[in-house]
Amino acid sequence: PPPPPPPGSPEVGHHLSHAYSAYALSSAPEGAVIVSDGWGDLLETHLSPPPGFVTDLSGWNYTAEVGPRHVTLRSCLPGEAPSCGAEDVSLPRGLTFRESTSVYLYSPSTGLRPYIKTFHSSPSHLCMSPDLGFSAFGSVGGVYSRVATAVFKDWNLCGKVMGLSTYGLTSSSSSDEEEDDEENKGGRRRIVSGDMLGSVTVDEGRFEGGWIGADDVRLTFADGSGGLEPGSPGLTRRDVTEERDREAVRMCADVQRDATDMILSLCERVQRETGAKDLSVAGGLFLNSVANGRVLDSGSFRTLEAPPFVGDEGCAFGIAAMLAMRDGVGRGEIRDAFTVYA
């Protein structure tokens, strides 16, 4: 195990450290930061932080929306009743909640400040299981990892899910081109739907039967030389004949569509509610370049920026940037001094 931190060293909230990694390197003077991933810190840790824990709820007045499997905290807006933020957060019994999506705003006068945070129900600790416990967590990032587990037997192979999804997306049945309705896109079964800042619904039937076994999907090397070795680069898909192979491709394609739709809806909502023109993103869900491209093409934001370490590897940089700014170092100085080759 790693050595304990030196006495007095702060422990920074997971989403807050992500947010600082994006905020510190953003070229816009003001804008929004969205953080979304598999899961972050426990809500209980934020509400009753242990000594040395830096939470973005500190000094923040918020309203609370408590659902059966989510808790959403929204910053009190100017002009709201003085009672805003006065209520206690009463959590459903028997459930714990972890960060899933957080939105921050920043400007020269305010610095980085939270706008809205959603926590989804989760196991109380990381489970030593193939899906790391994501089967009990209702975030979009968590569902994406569940598909990675179901298809590739590894919750962290989300990049392969996005890659394999392209074959399902380019070989859609005619029903996929029909007009979408809210519950069922083009006649297909949605894996995940809802509001990333609220209630999320997961089709548990798609995960029945455990691992599909996509390392049996018939693949050849891009040069046509043949061979099957799971995890090898440069693979392309040959004709799929077995139903479980087709289901593996379908699951990847469906979760990619669902996640992209929900990310796009989230970004459009943030722009509509805040008026922000520039967006920065962080957290593992935004490693999804297809979804990022859809957000940029939508025109909701003038710019979309992401640090070169969107995933958890960027948290250390975010913490360092936060502490540097507290010591008076400006964002511009951090950005000008930064290089990925340092």
Side-chain angles (χ1 to χ4, degrees):
S9 296
E11 179 184 357
V12 180
H14 188 69
H15 277 198
L16 184 60
S17 59
H18 269 310
Y20 266 97
S21 73
Y23 166 58
L25 296 181
S26 171
S27 61
E30 59 183 328
V33 176
I34 300 178
V35 176
S36 192
D37 53 11
W39 61 22
D41 291 311
L42 289 166
L43 174 58
E44 291 87 340
T45 304
H46 283 278
L47 296 177
S48 301
F53 184 83
V54 181
T55 170
D56 44 14
L57 299 190
S58 178
W60 180 29
N61 292 325
Y62 51 81
T63 60
E65 172 191 302
V66 180
R69 295 181 61 84
H70 79 278
V71 175
T72 298
L73 308 179
R74 181 180 63 80
S75 176
C76 293
L77 301 175
E80 286 192 303
S83 60
C84 175
E87 74 273 21
D88 293 328
V89 178
S90 179
L91 303 179
R93 290 180 176 273
L95 291 177
T96 56
F97 296 83
R98 289 183 181 271
E99 294 171 312
S100 57
T101 299
S102 300
V103 180
Y104 303 81
L105 302 175
Y106 64 90
S107 69
S109 60
T110 64
L112 185 72
R113 67 191 191 279
Y115 172 65
I116 192 168
K117 288 177 69 72
T118 295
F119 301 76
H120 280 100
S121 59
S122 77
S124 58
H125 55 83
L126 299 180
C127 302
M128 298 310 295
S129 62
D131 73 354
L132 204 66
F134 282 118
S135 58
F137 191 44
S139 73
V140 175
V143 174
Y144 211 98
S145 285
R146 288 182 66 183
V147 172
T149 304
V151 174
F152 296 107
K153 218 171 186 179
D154 187 332
W155 66 271
N156 206 27
L157 294 181
C158 296
K160 289 189 176 183
V161 172
M162 185 177 71
L164 190 58
S165 75
T166 59
Y167 299 104
L169 292 171
T170 56
S171 59
S172 303
S173 65
S174 59
S175 64
D176 288 332
E177 298 175 2
E178 297 173 1
E179 185 177 353
D180 294 341
D181 60 51
E182 190 167 337
E183 295 298 323
N184 194 3
K185 295 287 185 179
R188 65 182 177 85
R189 287 173 62 186
R190 298 198 62 159
I191 292 181
V192 59
S193 59
D195 180 2
M196 289 177 64
L197 294 175
S199 178
V200 172
T201 301
V202 181
D203 182 354
E204 295 294 341
R206 298 295 294 273
F207 296 96
E208 291 177 356
W211 179 45
I212 297 173
D215 63 355
D216 292 332
V217 172
R218 286 154 179 76
L219 299 168
T220 60
F221 289 106
D223 61 6
S225 60
L228 174 64
E229 185 175 350
S232 297
L235 295 174
T236 58
R237 175 172 159 263
R238 208 190 285 171
D239 290 340
V240 173
T241 57
E242 294 187 11
E243 177 59 27
R244 70 172 181 179
D245 296 343
R246 289 196 294 269
E247 176 59 12
V249 176
R250 275 197 297 267
M251 283 191 76
C252 293
D254 286 346
V255 78
Q256 175 63 36
R257 286 190 185 100
D258 295 344
T260 299
D261 288 344
M262 294 177 73
I263 291 170
L264 186 60
S265 294
L266 166 68
C267 293
E268 290 174 343
R269 171 181 171 178
V270 170
Q271 199 286 323
R272 184 171 62 250
E273 291 184 2
T274 68
K277 294 182 174 59
D278 298 287
L279 175 66
S280 294
V281 295
L285 192 61
F286 288 107
L287 287 166
N288 197 310
S289 57
V290 175
N292 294 347
R294 277 281 303 279
V295 172
L296 191 58
D297 290 344
S298 73
S300 296
F301 291 92
R302 181 171 53 195
T303 61
L304 187 152
E305 296 181 296
F309 27 58
V310 173
D312 287 352
E313 67 278 5
C315 291
F317 178 87
I319 295 170
M322 183 193 77
L323 297 176
M325 282 187 248
R326 287 189 174 185
D327 288 340
V329 179
R331 272 203 311 144
E333 295 176 79
I334 296 174
R335 190 169 58 251
D336 292 343
F338 175 76
T339 168
V340 293
Y341 303 106

mmCIF file of all heavy atoms in Angstrom, residues 270-311:
data_model
loop_
_atom_site.group_PDB
_atom_site.id
_atom_site.type_symbol
_atom_site.label_atom_id
_atom_site.label_comp_id
_atom_site.label_asym_id
_atom_site.label_seq_id
_atom_site.Cartn_x
_atom_site.Cartn_y
_atom_site.Cartn_z
ATOM 1 N N VAL A 270 -27.069 22.447 -19.227
ATOM 2 C CA VAL A 270 -26.147 23.332 -18.518
ATOM 3 C C VAL A 270 -26.029 24.668 -19.247
ATOM 4 O O VAL A 270 -26.053 25.739 -18.626
ATOM 5 C CB VAL A 270 -24.768 22.660 -18.367
ATOM 6 C CG1 VAL A 270 -23.723 23.653 -17.864
ATOM 7 C CG2 VAL A 270 -24.862 21.467 -17.419
ATOM 8 N N GLN A 271 -25.919 24.622 -20.570
ATOM 9 C CA GLN A 271 -25.807 25.868 -21.320
ATOM 10 C C GLN A 271 -27.083 26.695 -21.192
ATOM 11 O O GLN A 271 -27.032 27.910 -20.997
ATOM 12 C CB GLN A 271 -25.523 25.550 -22.796
ATOM 13 C CG GLN A 271 -24.943 26.722 -23.578
ATOM 14 C CD GLN A 271 -25.974 27.787 -23.883
ATOM 15 O OE1 GLN A 271 -27.147 27.490 -24.151
ATOM 16 N NE2 GLN A 271 -25.559 29.056 -23.844
ATOM 17 N N ARG A 272 -28.212 26.029 -21.261
ATOM 18 C CA ARG A 272 -29.499 26.734 -21.194
ATOM 19 C C ARG A 272 -29.699 27.395 -19.832
ATOM 20 O O ARG A 272 -30.163 28.531 -19.736
ATOM 21 C CB ARG A 272 -30.621 25.730 -21.470
ATOM 22 C CG ARG A 272 -32.007 26.330 -21.537
ATOM 23 C CD ARG A 272 -33.013 25.305 -22.016
ATOM 24 N NE ARG A 272 -33.120 24.152 -21.116
ATOM 25 C CZ ARG A 272 -32.686 22.926 -21.423
ATOM 26 N NH1 ARG A 272 -32.101 22.702 -22.586
ATOM 27 N NH2 ARG A 272 -32.823 21.936 -20.558
ATOM 28 N N GLU A 273 -29.335 26.683 -18.761
ATOM 29 C CA GLU A 273 -29.577 27.198 -17.421
ATOM 30 C C GLU A 273 -28.549 28.243 -16.998
ATOM 31 O O GLU A 273 -28.876 29.158 -16.244
ATOM 32 C CB GLU A 273 -29.568 26.049 -16.418
ATOM 33 C CG GLU A 273 -30.755 25.109 -16.541
ATOM 34 C CD GLU A 273 -30.749 24.035 -15.472
ATOM 35 O OE1 GLU A 273 -29.832 24.040 -14.610
ATOM 36 O OE2 GLU A 273 -31.663 23.182 -15.476
ATOM 37 N N THR A 274 -27.319 28.118 -17.450
ATOM 38 C CA THR A 274 -26.246 28.992 -16.955
ATOM 39 C C THR A 274 -25.853 30.077 -17.943
ATOM 40 O O THR A 274 -25.275 31.091 -17.550
ATOM 41 C CB THR A 274 -24.994 28.171 -16.618
ATOM 42 O OG1 THR A 274 -24.423 27.650 -17.835
ATOM 43 C CG2 THR A 274 -25.328 27.024 -15.671
ATOM 44 N N GLY A 275 -26.142 29.863 -19.232
ATOM 45 C CA GLY A 275 -25.709 30.821 -20.237
ATOM 46 C C GLY A 275 -24.238 30.752 -20.554
ATOM 47 O O GLY A 275 -23.716 31.595 -21.310
ATOM 48 N N ALA A 276 -23.528 29.763 -20.012
ATOM 49 C CA ALA A 276 -22.092 29.637 -20.276
ATOM 50 C C ALA A 276 -21.848 29.404 -21.760
ATOM 51 O O ALA A 276 -22.586 28.671 -22.423
ATOM 52 C CB ALA A 276 -21.507 28.486 -19.456
ATOM 53 N N LYS A 277 -20.807 30.027 -22.281
ATOM 54 C CA LYS A 277 -20.474 29.897 -23.697
ATOM 55 C C LYS A 277 -19.329 28.929 -23.943
ATOM 56 O O LYS A 277 -19.159 28.439 -25.060
ATOM 57 C CB LYS A 277 -20.128 31.270 -24.282
ATOM 58 C CG LYS A 277 -21.293 32.250 -24.320
ATOM 59 C CD LYS A 277 -20.873 33.561 -24.946
ATOM 60 C CE LYS A 277 -22.070 34.502 -25.134
ATOM 61 N NZ LYS A 277 -22.760 34.820 -23.870
ATOM 62 N N ASP A 278 -18.525 28.679 -22.910
ATOM 63 C CA ASP A 278 -17.356 27.809 -23.068
ATOM 64 C C ASP A 278 -17.430 26.682 -22.048
ATOM 65 O O ASP A 278 -17.791 26.905 -20.882
ATOM 66 C CB ASP A 278 -16.066 28.603 -22.885
ATOM 67 C CG ASP A 278 -15.920 29.696 -23.936
ATOM 68 O OD1 ASP A 278 -15.631 29.349 -25.096
ATOM 69 O OD2 ASP A 278 -16.122 30.878 -23.605
ATOM 70 N N LEU A 279 -17.059 25.482 -22.475
ATOM 71 C CA LEU A 279 -17.189 24.298 -21.637
ATOM 72 C C LEU A 279 -15.857 23.578 -21.529
ATOM 73 O O LEU A 279 -15.139 23.408 -22.519
ATOM 74 C CB LEU A 279 -18.233 23.341 -22.237
ATOM 75 C CG LEU A 279 -18.409 21.994 -21.540
ATOM 76 C CD1 LEU A 279 -18.977 22.174 -20.144
ATOM 77 C CD2 LEU A 279 -19.309 21.070 -22.374
ATOM 78 N N SER A 280 -15.531 23.158 -20.312
ATOM 79 C CA SER A 280 -14.411 22.255 -20.076
ATOM 80 C C SER A 280 -14.962 20.995 -19.425
ATOM 81 O O SER A 280 -15.935 21.056 -18.666
ATOM 82 C CB SER A 280 -13.360 22.895 -19.162
ATOM 83 O OG SER A 280 -12.749 24.004 -19.793
ATOM 84 N N VAL A 281 -14.351 19.859 -19.716
ATOM 85 C CA VAL A 281 -14.869 18.588 -19.208
ATOM 86 C C VAL A 281 -13.740 17.781 -18.582
ATOM 87 O O VAL A 281 -12.564 17.930 -18.942
ATOM 88 C CB VAL A 281 -15.543 17.767 -20.325
ATOM 89 C CG1 VAL A 281 -16.776 18.481 -20.857
ATOM 90 C CG2 VAL A 281 -14.570 17.469 -21.461
ATOM 91 N N ALA A 282 -14.109 16.919 -17.652
ATOM 92 C CA ALA A 282 -13.159 16.008 -17.024
ATOM 93 C C ALA A 282 -13.931 14.829 -16.456
ATOM 94 O O ALA A 282 -15.159 14.862 -16.335
ATOM 95 C CB ALA A 282 -12.351 16.712 -15.928
ATOM 96 N N GLY A 283 -13.208 13.784 -16.085
ATOM 97 C CA GLY A 283 -13.836 12.564 -15.606
ATOM 98 C C GLY A 283 -13.856 11.525 -16.701
ATOM 99 O O GLY A 283 -13.890 11.837 -17.904
ATOM 100 N N GLY A 284 -13.828 10.248 -16.301
ATOM 101 C CA GLY A 284 -13.665 9.166 -17.256
ATOM 102 C C GLY A 284 -14.719 9.112 -18.340
ATOM 103 O O GLY A 284 -14.443 8.653 -19.460
ATOM 104 N N LEU A 285 -15.951 9.563 -18.079
ATOM 105 C CA LEU A 285 -16.985 9.509 -19.099
ATOM 106 C C LEU A 285 -16.618 10.367 -20.300
ATOM 107 O O LEU A 285 -17.026 10.076 -21.430
ATOM 108 C CB LEU A 285 -18.329 9.958 -18.510
ATOM 109 C CG LEU A 285 -19.566 9.678 -19.369
ATOM 110 C CD1 LEU A 285 -19.744 8.184 -19.602
ATOM 111 C CD2 LEU A 285 -20.820 10.265 -18.736
ATOM 112 N N PHE A 286 -15.820 11.412 -20.090
ATOM 113 C CA PHE A 286 -15.451 12.307 -21.182
ATOM 114 C C PHE A 286 -14.194 11.854 -21.914
ATOM 115 O O PHE A 286 -13.645 12.587 -22.740
ATOM 116 C CB PHE A 286 -15.307 13.736 -20.667
ATOM 117 C CG PHE A 286 -16.636 14.359 -20.332
ATOM 118 C CD1 PHE A 286 -17.018 14.547 -19.017
ATOM 119 C CD2 PHE A 286 -17.518 14.712 -21.335
ATOM 120 C CE1 PHE A 286 -18.251 15.092 -18.703
ATOM 121 C CE2 PHE A 286 -18.754 15.261 -21.036
ATOM 122 C CZ PHE A 286 -19.123 15.452 -19.713
ATOM 123 N N LEU A 287 -13.744 10.615 -21.639
ATOM 124 C CA LEU A 287 -12.802 9.973 -22.549
ATOM 125 C C LEU A 287 -13.510 9.515 -23.818
ATOM 126 O O LEU A 287 -12.872 9.054 -24.759
ATOM 127 C CB LEU A 287 -12.142 8.762 -21.867
ATOM 128 C CG LEU A 287 -11.103 9.094 -20.797
ATOM 129 C CD1 LEU A 287 -10.784 7.849 -19.974
ATOM 130 C CD2 LEU A 287 -9.836 9.644 -21.440
ATOM 131 N N ASN A 288 -14.830 9.640 -23.827
ATOM 132 C CA ASN A 288 -15.644 9.217 -24.957
ATOM 133 C C ASN A 288 -15.594 10.286 -26.044
ATOM 134 O O ASN A 288 -16.373 11.238 -26.038
ATOM 135 C CB ASN A 288 -17.084 8.980 -24.493
ATOM 136 C CG ASN A 288 -17.887 8.170 -25.479
ATOM 137 O OD1 ASN A 288 -17.914 8.480 -26.665
ATOM 138 N ND2 ASN A 288 -18.546 7.130 -24.987
ATOM 139 N N SER A 289 -14.677 10.118 -26.981
ATOM 140 C CA SER A 289 -14.454 11.145 -27.998
ATOM 141 C C SER A 289 -15.646 11.291 -28.932
ATOM 142 O O SER A 289 -15.887 12.383 -29.471
ATOM 143 C CB SER A 289 -13.193 10.814 -28.805
ATOM 144 O OG SER A 289 -13.293 9.526 -29.396
ATOM 145 N N VAL A 290 -16.402 10.214 -29.134
ATOM 146 C CA VAL A 290 -17.587 10.306 -29.997
ATOM 147 C C VAL A 290 -18.608 11.262 -29.387
ATOM 148 O O VAL A 290 -19.144 12.144 -30.060
ATOM 149 C CB VAL A 290 -18.204 8.914 -30.206
ATOM 150 C CG1 VAL A 290 -19.511 9.016 -30.995
ATOM 151 C CG2 VAL A 290 -17.221 8.001 -30.929
ATOM 152 N N ALA A 291 -18.873 11.087 -28.092
ATOM 153 C CA ALA A 291 -19.823 11.972 -27.420
ATOM 154 C C ALA A 291 -19.310 13.408 -27.387
ATOM 155 O O ALA A 291 -20.076 14.359 -27.599
ATOM 156 C CB ALA A 291 -20.095 11.466 -26.008
ATOM 157 N N ASN A 292 -18.022 13.577 -27.116
ATOM 158 C CA ASN A 292 -17.452 14.928 -27.100
ATOM 159 C C ASN A 292 -17.637 15.610 -28.449
ATOM 160 O O ASN A 292 -17.953 16.803 -28.521
ATOM 161 C CB ASN A 292 -15.966 14.876 -26.740
ATOM 162 C CG ASN A 292 -15.710 14.414 -25.323
ATOM 163 O OD1 ASN A 292 -16.634 14.357 -24.509
ATOM 164 N ND2 ASN A 292 -14.475 14.080 -25.020
ATOM 165 N N GLY A 293 -17.434 14.842 -29.516
ATOM 166 C CA GLY A 293 -17.620 15.412 -30.851
ATOM 167 C C GLY A 293 -19.052 15.832 -31.100
ATOM 168 O O GLY A 293 -19.305 16.882 -31.710
ATOM 169 N N ARG A 294 -20.018 15.038 -30.602
ATOM 170 C CA ARG A 294 -21.426 15.402 -30.756
ATOM 171 C C ARG A 294 -21.729 16.701 -30.023
ATOM 172 O O ARG A 294 -22.480 17.549 -30.520
ATOM 173 C CB ARG A 294 -22.298 14.279 -30.201
ATOM 174 C CG ARG A 294 -22.559 13.120 -31.133
ATOM 175 C CD ARG A 294 -23.636 13.409 -32.168
ATOM 176 N NE ARG A 294 -24.908 13.793 -31.556
ATOM 177 C CZ ARG A 294 -25.798 12.941 -31.061
ATOM 178 N NH1 ARG A 294 -25.569 11.637 -31.100
ATOM 179 N NH2 ARG A 294 -26.933 13.383 -30.534
ATOM 180 N N VAL A 295 -21.180 16.859 -28.820
ATOM 181 C CA VAL A 295 -21.415 18.086 -28.053
ATOM 182 C C VAL A 295 -20.858 19.286 -28.807
ATOM 183 O O VAL A 295 -21.524 20.320 -28.941
ATOM 184 C CB VAL A 295 -20.781 17.979 -26.658
ATOM 185 C CG1 VAL A 295 -20.862 19.324 -25.932
ATOM 186 C CG2 VAL A 295 -21.456 16.891 -25.834
ATOM 187 N N LEU A 296 -19.656 19.154 -29.333
ATOM 188 C CA LEU A 296 -19.039 20.271 -30.047
ATOM 189 C C LEU A 296 -19.816 20.593 -31.320
ATOM 190 O O LEU A 296 -20.071 21.759 -31.630
ATOM 191 C CB LEU A 296 -17.587 19.932 -30.383
ATOM 192 C CG LEU A 296 -16.713 21.066 -30.904
ATOM 193 C CD1 LEU A 296 -16.662 22.223 -29.911
ATOM 194 C CD2 LEU A 296 -15.308 20.568 -31.190
ATOM 195 N N ASP A 297 -20.237 19.549 -32.047
ATOM 196 C CA ASP A 297 -20.981 19.773 -33.293
ATOM 197 C C ASP A 297 -22.364 20.367 -33.040
ATOM 198 O O ASP A 297 -22.923 21.003 -33.931
ATOM 199 C CB ASP A 297 -21.130 18.444 -34.054
ATOM 200 C CG ASP A 297 -19.818 17.944 -34.627
ATOM 201 O OD1 ASP A 297 -18.872 18.747 -34.714
ATOM 202 O OD2 ASP A 297 -19.735 16.756 -34.970
ATOM 203 N N SER A 298 -22.913 20.151 -31.846
ATOM 204 C CA SER A 298 -24.255 20.654 -31.559
ATOM 205 C C SER A 298 -24.305 22.170 -31.510
ATOM 206 O O SER A 298 -25.372 22.768 -31.653
ATOM 207 C CB SER A 298 -24.753 20.090 -30.222
ATOM 208 O OG SER A 298 -24.090 20.704 -29.126
ATOM 209 N N GLY A 299 -23.156 22.808 -31.267
ATOM 210 C CA GLY A 299 -23.120 24.260 -31.186
ATOM 211 C C GLY A 299 -23.616 24.823 -29.876
ATOM 212 O O GLY A 299 -23.764 26.047 -29.738
ATOM 213 N N SER A 300 -23.884 23.957 -28.897
ATOM 214 C CA SER A 300 -24.359 24.457 -27.603
ATOM 215 C C SER A 300 -23.327 25.364 -26.957
ATOM 216 O O SER A 300 -23.672 26.349 -26.297
ATOM 217 C CB SER A 300 -24.674 23.276 -26.671
ATOM 218 O OG SER A 300 -25.732 22.498 -27.174
ATOM 219 N N PHE A 301 -22.049 25.012 -27.126
ATOM 220 C CA PHE A 301 -20.966 25.808 -26.558
ATOM 221 C C PHE A 301 -20.036 26.278 -27.671
ATOM 222 O O PHE A 301 -19.855 25.587 -28.685
ATOM 223 C CB PHE A 301 -20.176 24.995 -25.533
ATOM 224 C CG PHE A 301 -20.937 24.697 -24.276
ATOM 225 C CD1 PHE A 301 -21.672 23.530 -24.160
ATOM 226 C CD2 PHE A 301 -20.939 25.601 -23.222
ATOM 227 C CE1 PHE A 301 -22.391 23.256 -23.005
ATOM 228 C CE2 PHE A 301 -21.650 25.337 -22.064
ATOM 229 C CZ PHE A 301 -22.381 24.166 -21.959
ATOM 230 N N ARG A 302 -19.462 27.429 -27.465
ATOM 231 C CA ARG A 302 -18.515 27.978 -28.430
ATOM 232 C C ARG A 302 -17.258 27.130 -28.506
ATOM 233 O O ARG A 302 -16.702 26.892 -29.590
ATOM 234 C CB ARG A 302 -18.184 29.423 -28.013
ATOM 235 C CG ARG A 302 -17.234 30.160 -28.917
ATOM 236 C CD ARG A 302 -17.191 31.616 -28.495
ATOM 237 N NE ARG A 302 -16.906 31.761 -27.059
ATOM 238 C CZ ARG A 302 -17.093 32.887 -26.372
ATOM 239 N NH1 ARG A 302 -17.589 33.953 -26.988
ATOM 240 N NH2 ARG A 302 -16.803 32.957 -25.086
ATOM 241 N N THR A 303 -16.788 26.671 -27.354
ATOM 242 C CA THR A 303 -15.592 25.831 -27.298
ATOM 243 C C THR A 303 -15.840 24.677 -26.334
ATOM 244 O O THR A 303 -16.652 24.766 -25.410
ATOM 245 C CB THR A 303 -14.354 26.611 -26.816
ATOM 246 O OG1 THR A 303 -14.605 27.114 -25.486
ATOM 247 C CG2 THR A 303 -14.049 27.783 -27.735
ATOM 248 N N LEU A 304 -15.131 23.596 -26.555
ATOM 249 C CA LEU A 304 -15.105 22.468 -25.628
ATOM 250 C C LEU A 304 -13.645 22.087 -25.429
ATOM 251 O O LEU A 304 -12.950 21.768 -26.398
ATOM 252 C CB LEU A 304 -15.901 21.278 -26.162
ATOM 253 C CG LEU A 304 -16.080 20.096 -25.197
ATOM 254 C CD1 LEU A 304 -17.376 19.346 -25.503
ATOM 255 C CD2 LEU A 304 -14.904 19.115 -25.247
ATOM 256 N N GLU A 305 -13.186 22.163 -24.184
ATOM 257 C CA GLU A 305 -11.794 21.850 -23.872
ATOM 258 C C GLU A 305 -11.739 20.715 -22.854
ATOM 259 O O GLU A 305 -12.595 20.617 -21.970
ATOM 260 C CB GLU A 305 -11.068 23.068 -23.309
ATOM 261 C CG GLU A 305 -10.951 24.215 -24.304
ATOM 262 C CD GLU A 305 -10.207 25.405 -23.714
ATOM 263 O OE1 GLU A 305 -10.718 26.004 -22.740
ATOM 264 O OE2 GLU A 305 -9.121 25.725 -24.215
ATOM 265 N N ALA A 306 -10.726 19.882 -22.988
ATOM 266 C CA ALA A 306 -10.492 18.801 -22.033
ATOM 267 C C ALA A 306 -9.003 18.732 -21.753
ATOM 268 O O ALA A 306 -8.190 18.888 -22.667
ATOM 269 C CB ALA A 306 -10.982 17.469 -22.594
ATOM 270 N N PRO A 307 -8.611 18.530 -20.498
ATOM 271 C CA PRO A 307 -7.189 18.386 -20.207
ATOM 272 C C PRO A 307 -6.663 17.097 -20.820
ATOM 273 O O PRO A 307 -7.453 16.196 -21.152
ATOM 274 C CB PRO A 307 -7.146 18.332 -18.672
ATOM 275 C CG PRO A 307 -8.490 17.829 -18.279
ATOM 276 C CD PRO A 307 -9.453 18.359 -19.295
ATOM 277 N N PRO A 308 -5.362 16.967 -20.987
ATOM 278 C CA PRO A 308 -4.817 15.734 -21.584
ATOM 279 C C PRO A 308 -4.894 14.532 -20.656
ATOM 280 O O PRO A 308 -4.480 13.446 -21.028
ATOM 281 C CB PRO A 308 -3.359 16.113 -21.882
ATOM 282 C CG PRO A 308 -3.028 17.188 -20.923
ATOM 283 C CD PRO A 308 -4.310 17.958 -20.716
ATOM 284 N N PHE A 309 -5.409 14.738 -19.453
ATOM 285 C CA PHE A 309 -5.567 13.647 -18.483
ATOM 286 C C PHE A 309 -6.993 13.714 -17.939
ATOM 287 O O PHE A 309 -7.225 14.076 -16.799
ATOM 288 C CB PHE A 309 -4.547 13.768 -17.351
ATOM 289 C CG PHE A 309 -4.072 15.171 -17.087
ATOM 290 C CD1 PHE A 309 -4.970 16.187 -16.752
ATOM 291 C CD2 PHE A 309 -2.745 15.499 -17.213
ATOM 292 C CE1 PHE A 309 -4.552 17.479 -16.511
ATOM 293 C CE2 PHE A 309 -2.300 16.796 -16.980
ATOM 294 C CZ PHE A 309 -3.207 17.784 -16.627
ATOM 295 N N VAL A 310 -7.942 13.333 -18.797
ATOM 296 C CA VAL A 310 -9.351 13.462 -18.441
ATOM 297 C C VAL A 310 -9.730 12.505 -17.319
ATOM 298 O O VAL A 310 -10.576 12.804 -16.481
ATOM 299 C CB VAL A 310 -10.226 13.213 -19.690
ATOM 300 C CG1 VAL A 310 -11.691 13.160 -19.322
ATOM 301 C CG2 VAL A 310 -9.993 14.313 -20.719
ATOM 302 N N GLY A 311 -9.097 11.328 -17.274
ATOM 303 C CA GLY A 311 -9.429 10.326 -16.279
ATOM 304 C C GLY A 311 -8.823 10.622 -14.921
ATOM 305 O O GLY A 311 -8.349 11.730 -14.641
#
